[in-house]
Amino acid sequence: MVSGDHACLGFDDDESLWEIRAAYADIGVSRDENVVLFTDPATTPDIAAEQLHAHGFHHGAALTNGQLVVCNEVPGASPGDSGGFAPAERVRLWLELTMQARSQGYSGIRIMGDMGWAAAPGCDHDLLVEYEAGLSPLFADIGFTAICEYDRRKFGHDLLDRVLRAHCHNVLPRLGALDATRSGSELRVAGEADLNTREQLMAALADAFSGPERVTVLDLTELCFMDVRSASALVQLASRHLDGQALEVRCRPEQSTVMRLCGSARVPQLVIDERSSSQ
């Protein structure tokens, strides 16, 4: 994720949630950002500190000097009134936190927030989806990076689908996972392509390259890691199955470099469209 991204995490268990929270906070602290975790009311700052440390976050000083803040209160909550929450009050808080982080000299701000309160009776889900959709352009404009946490055990499938589509990005439910999603003639691959996920990647590519309606665009821009073997397998598979049909590969510079090292230049059907992480 880059500054200004608004993403949604649909998770199934607390273990994977804390792994993602720890990694997300670690990246933020490493980038000299102000990090705020909005947890559920039962998760105190002390409990959060223990869980973060247990899941790989070792910047203990960030918890004491205020760079990483844990808040177990729900901002803008109004149970039984105004659809269950106050969108304007929440937006005002995000603007205030952004200005505060900048005034304190941080390079930016990122939050991760539990959305379990929205599963309570009385919450207007149409208003919730409208609110989430409106945040994406705002966050992009002010450089506010956020992940909204939706527990799949609390929310219905239809609402989750609407909420996911209201965000610009979706976070995979666990670290090290890979997701391959086809939409018409485009295949988007996100996550990590390595030993653990290579078979899944190759199966998705083989399916995309076969049949009468082949994929013409392969989007790797949300692939955070691709090892050499995965890149090599991609190039070899393309050389065998494209049969002269062009495949536009959208990727970041580091992915382009790995594919060139694996011989992509010898497969003229592969059209590399190199993009920066901000595009």
Side-chain angles (χ1 to χ4, degrees):
M1 293 178 65
V2 298
S3 177
D5 279 348
H6 179 216
C8 184
L9 167 66
F11 67 96
D12 301 292
D13 62 86
D14 295 341
E15 185 72 14
S16 59
L17 172 63
W18 281 108
E19 287 182 354
I20 294 172
R21 281 176 171 172
Y24 185 70
D26 185 82
I27 293 171
V29 171
S30 300
R31 293 179 177 176
D32 196 31
E33 295 175 333
N34 185 200
V35 182
V36 186
L37 299 182
F38 288 91
T39 64
D40 64 282
T43 302
T44 65
D46 287 342
I47 292 175
E50 293 176 1
Q51 289 288 344
L52 289 170
H53 179 76
H55 290 86
F57 180 81
H58 300 300
H59 299 280
L63 285 161
T64 56
N65 65 21
Q67 184 177 3
L68 171 57
V69 178
V70 177
C71 178
N72 62 346
E73 298 179 356
V74 180
S78 53
D81 184 36
S82 303
F85 70 109
E89 183 177 334
R90 290 176 67 85
V91 168
R92 186 160 49 248
L93 175 62
W94 308 145
L95 293 171
E96 290 174 355
L97 288 177
T98 302
M99 291 186 291
Q100 178 180 296
R102 290 174 178 170
S103 68
Q104 293 175 344
Y106 291 110
S107 64
I109 182 169
R110 62 172 54 206
I111 73 159
M112 195 164 176
D114 174 76
M115 298 296 291
W117 55 268
C123 182
D124 185 332
H125 292 160
D126 290 334
L127 181 62
L128 173 68
V129 173
E130 180 183 348
Y131 161 74
E132 289 281 31
L135 289 180
S136 295
L138 171 67
F139 287 174
D141 183 53
I142 65 176
F144 187 102
T145 310
I147 294 179
C148 302
E149 307 166 358
Y150 282 85
D151 190 336
R152 296 182 184 275
R153 298 165 294 186
K154 297 180 179 179
F155 294 90
H157 175 77
D158 290 342
L159 176 59
L160 273 175
D161 184 61
R162 293 175 64 197
V163 167
L164 288 168
R165 286 188 279 110
H167 291 74
C168 290
H169 304 280
N170 295 326
V171 180
L172 295 182
R174 58 186 51 82
L175 297 181
L178 181 136
D179 177 68
T181 303
R182 180 168 180 172
S183 177
S185 61
E186 179 175 330
L187 179 68
R188 181 191 63 84
V189 182
E192 298 186 14
D194 55 19
L195 177 62
N196 295 322
T197 61
R198 193 175 305 134
E199 185 175 337
Q200 179 187 351
L201 174 64
M202 291 305 104
L205 291 174
D207 180 67
F209 294 161
S210 62
E213 297 183 7
R214 297 186 178 185
V215 160
T216 58
V217 176
L218 176 61
D219 189 344
L220 304 179
T221 55
E222 293 188 41
L223 195 63
C224 59
F225 176 76
M226 180 170 64
D227 65 11
V228 172
R229 288 185 179 273
S230 295
S232 179
L234 188 162
V235 171
Q236 292 177 23
L237 197 63
S239 68
R240 294 196 302 268
H241 292 280
L242 288 181
D243 297 329
Q245 182 177 346
L247 176 69
E248 178 187 351
V249 182
R250 298 171 185 167
C251 60
R252 299 196 306 273
E254 58 269 29
Q255 298 162 342
S256 174
T257 299
V258 174
M259 285 188 287
R260 284 200 305 271
L261 292 173
C262 294
S264 63
R266 296 193 296 272
V267 185
Q269 305 97 305
L270 287 177
V271 181
I272 307 298
D273 180 4
E274 188 174 303
R275 302 183 174 202
S276 65
S277 58
S278 60
Q279 286 182 287

